[in-house]
């Protein structure tokens, strides 16, 4: 019996991977640096899709952009529009389903990490300071104010005084999302114009840590005089990133660019203020004071979250309810809100022209978003789908 045209093409495509061999093929696929390219490759045939998923190329893309992704020990994903976790078993079939789940989640994460964004301040609230000289007048919450004066009073945080100039201090903030891509941190030391010589109470060096709390943080515990210094202890957190030390200059506003954009896993940032320079004349003690702090970057999709476990941290994925492919051009929320980044990504693939026509794009989206591969649809000379 003769072989159909579709079967011949499938056979040829499978032969391509067999001809190159798994090692050379893996090298070629790792050269794909964008999730859209990986999505197109996985849509070529069943064998290509299997190869992409089995070799975890979507996870490799994430690790290439942000090595901090290696901290995830497992993935939990809910079915679209429900809170039911996908079943994880020990059989070969269940293992393959888990691989497909991981591929889908890392594709979503890689798109979020690689999408263009305009940096904005990611701080949503303060967690606490290692010490405060006068609470609440000089609380850490003053560092969120964009101006130097609030209701005719100076707005700044001040540490407690120390005789040892090497005594460190820290400020800890909570971000808008469990996962935020951070590229820059701005700090403005406080200049005491009301003191002789207008001294600047800066630290000598600054270092940044990012991570997640080991236990949930209760709102009533945050920024309180009773818990001063307790919530800033490292025992309360798992830090997944630590920056190099940056020298602080004795001027007003400073910007610290990270060596590369860092994904903050868990939405907590600790600013370590190392060393003291300025002694207050009235009491002979060293202080560190800060007027403003901004942590700049991009909060990632709310569909992604993290949860600590005994063996590490879990990446959780709770997708929005699926919409019909026929409505890809209308992906806004019912309340008129903007579509998610992932849905924008899907729309761009749907609308892009690749020379294969709408049939190719329909198959791509079906494979990428809805599971098992579908047969590619072909166009005739009149543009009709057959």
């Amino acid at each position: 019996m003769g072989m159909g045209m579709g079967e011949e093409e499938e056979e040829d495509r499978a032969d391509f991977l067999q001809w190159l061999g798994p090692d050379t093929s893996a090298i070629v696929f790792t050269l794909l640096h964008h999730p859209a390219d990986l999505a197109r490759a996985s849509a070529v045939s069943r064998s290509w899709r299997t190869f992409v998923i089995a070799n975890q190329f979507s996870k490799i893309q994430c690790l290439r952009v942000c090595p901090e992704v290696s901290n995830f020990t497992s993935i939990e994903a809910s079915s679209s529009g429900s809170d039911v976790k996908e079943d994880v078993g020990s059989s070969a079939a269940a293992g393959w389903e888990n691989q497909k789940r991981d591929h889908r989640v890392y594709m979503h994460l890689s798109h979020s990490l690689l999408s263009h964004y305009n940096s904005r301040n990611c701080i949503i609230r303060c967690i606490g300071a290692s010490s405060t000289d006068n609470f609440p007048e000089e609380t850490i919450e003053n560092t969120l104010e964009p101006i130097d004066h609030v209701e005719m009073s100076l707005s700044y945080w001040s540490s407690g005084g120390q005789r040892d100039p090497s005594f460190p201090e820290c400020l800890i903030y909570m971000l808008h999302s469990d996962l935020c891509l951070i590229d820059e941190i701005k700090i403005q030391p406080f200049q005491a114009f009301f003191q002789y010589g207008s001294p600047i109470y800066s630290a000598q060096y600054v270092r940044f840590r990012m991570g997640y709390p080991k236990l949930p943080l209760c709102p009533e515990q945050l920024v309180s005089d009773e818990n001063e210094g307790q919530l800033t202890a490292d025992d309360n957190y798992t830090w997944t990133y630590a920056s190099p030390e940056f020298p602080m200059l004795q001027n007003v506003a400073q910007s610290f660019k990270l060596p590369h954009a860092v994904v903050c896993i868990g939405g907590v940032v600790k600013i370590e203020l190392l060393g003291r320079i300025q002694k207050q004349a009235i009491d002979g003690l060293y202080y560190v004071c800060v007027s403003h702090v901004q942590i700049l970057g991009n909060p990632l999709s709310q569909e992604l979250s993290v949860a600590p476990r005994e063996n590490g941290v879990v990446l959780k994925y709770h997708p929005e309810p699926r919409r019909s492919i026929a409505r890809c051009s209308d992906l806004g929320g019912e309340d008129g809100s903007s579509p998610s980044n992932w849905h924008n990504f899907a729309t761009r693939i749907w609308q892009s022209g690749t020379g294969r026509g709408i049939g190719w794009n329909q198959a791509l989206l079906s494979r990428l978003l809805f599971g098992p591969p579908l047969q590619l649809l072909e166009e005739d000379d009149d543009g009709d789908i057959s």
Side-chain angles (χ1 to χ4, degrees):
M1 181 178 295
M3 182 180 295
M5 181 65 69
E7 295 177 359
E8 289 179 357
E9 292 180 357
E10 184 73 22
E11 185 79 17
D12 292 340
R13 290 167 183 161
D15 286 343
F16 174 77
L17 294 179
Q18 294 173 5
W19 178 69
L20 284 181
D23 294 339
T24 305
S25 297
I27 293 174
V28 173
F29 275 78
T30 55
L31 298 177
L32 301 177
H33 290 273
H34 196 278
D37 298 329
L38 201 57
R40 294 185 181 101
S42 63
V44 169
S45 68
R46 292 180 186 272
S47 62
W48 281 45
R49 182 171 183 268
T50 300
F51 189 75
V52 167
I53 294 174
N55 286 277
Q56 299 182 310
F57 291 122
S58 56
K59 182 177 181 179
I60 291 173
Q61 281 191 341
C62 294
L63 288 169
R64 183 187 295 127
V65 178
C66 294
E68 302 77 37
V69 172
S70 63
N71 288 282
F72 294 126
T73 54
S74 61
I75 286 179
E76 293 179 4
S78 299
S79 301
S80 180
S82 74
D83 293 328
V84 180
K85 295 179 181 177
E86 296 184 16
D87 186 30
V88 177
S90 58
S91 66
W96 174 241
E97 289 302 315
N98 289 343
Q99 285 185 306
K100 291 195 294 183
R101 174 204 63 198
D102 292 358
H103 170 73
R104 184 171 69 252
V105 175
Y106 279 118
M107 283 289 287
H108 185 95
L109 177 59
S110 64
H111 171 68
S112 296
L113 294 175
L114 289 167
S115 295
H116 174 75
Y117 65 92
N118 295 319
S119 286
R120 65 183 181 93
N121 191 7
C122 294
I123 299 175
I124 191 171
R125 67 187 309 174
C126 302
I127 293 178
S130 52
S131 71
T132 302
D133 189 33
N134 296 301
F135 190 92
E137 290 80 5
E138 297 173 332
T139 175
I140 180 180
E141 292 183 325
N142 291 337
T143 64
L144 303 185
E145 298 291 341
I147 55 178
D148 295 329
H149 293 76
V150 176
E151 296 180 354
M152 304 301 293
S153 298
L154 290 171
S155 176
Y156 65 95
W157 163 81
S158 174
S159 72
Q162 294 289 337
R163 297 194 181 279
D164 181 4
S166 66
F167 195 89
E169 297 284 351
C170 71
L171 304 172
I172 300 186
Y173 299 90
M174 183 181 297
L175 307 185
H176 276 280
S177 176
D178 276 3
L179 294 170
C180 291
L181 194 62
I182 305 301
D183 51 49
E184 182 181 6
I185 296 176
K186 293 184 177 182
I187 301 176
Q188 180 174 325
F190 175 67
Q191 185 171 13
F193 293 103
F194 54 87
Q195 294 182 355
Y196 178 76
S198 301
I200 298 175
Y201 287 88
S202 173
Q204 288 184 316
Y205 298 92
V206 64
R207 180 171 57 209
F208 310 109
R209 297 186 186 272
M210 304 182 193
Y212 56 92
K214 295 179 180 178
L215 297 174
L217 298 174
C218 300
E220 60 271 15
Q221 293 179 307
L222 308 182
V223 193
S224 65
D225 196 17
E226 296 78 12
N227 296 322
E228 186 76 9
Q230 296 182 16
L231 290 181
T232 59
D234 283 339
D235 292 344
N236 296 320
Y237 305 92
T238 297
W239 303 117
T240 59
Y241 172 80
S243 76
E245 291 184 10
F246 297 93
M248 289 195 73
L249 303 177
Q250 299 310 295
N251 56 24
V252 177
Q254 296 167 62
S255 177
F256 301 95
K257 287 276 191 180
L258 299 180
H260 63 84
V262 175
V263 58
C264 178
I265 298 174
V268 174
V269 175
K270 178 181 183 180
I271 299 177
E272 296 180 314
L273 301 162
L274 309 174
R276 302 162 186 246
I277 296 174
Q278 186 62 46
K279 182 188 292 187
Q280 184 172 248
I282 192 172
D283 59 9
L285 299 179
Y286 290 93
Y287 292 83
V288 178
C289 303
V290 174
S291 293
H292 311 299
V293 171
Q294 287 186 321
I295 299 174
L296 302 178
N298 181 38
L300 302 188
S301 169
Q302 294 293 331
E303 295 178 346
L304 295 166
S305 62
V306 301
R309 297 287 188 268
E310 290 184 0
N311 62 339
V313 60
V314 174
L315 175 60
K316 304 180 74 174
Y317 178 51
H318 302 281
E320 297 176 358
R322 289 175 180 168
R323 295 178 179 269
S324 169
I325 283 290
R327 296 181 61 192
C328 276
S329 60
D330 182 22
L331 291 172
E334 294 180 359
D335 59 352
S337 59
S338 300
S340 70
N341 288 338
W342 178 248
H343 287 158
N344 281 332
F345 170 54
T347 304
R348 287 200 304 272
I349 295 178
W350 177 262
Q351 294 175 345
S352 63
T354 61
R356 292 177 177 266
I358 194 172
W360 186 89
N361 288 323
Q362 182 182 11
L364 171 59
L365 279 179
S366 298
R367 294 182 185 196
L368 182 59
L369 302 177
F370 298 100
L374 302 177
Q375 182 178 358
L376 293 178
L377 305 177
E378 300 292 337
E379 286 185 352
D380 57 25
D381 294 337
D382 297 327
D384 297 322
I385 304 298
S386 59

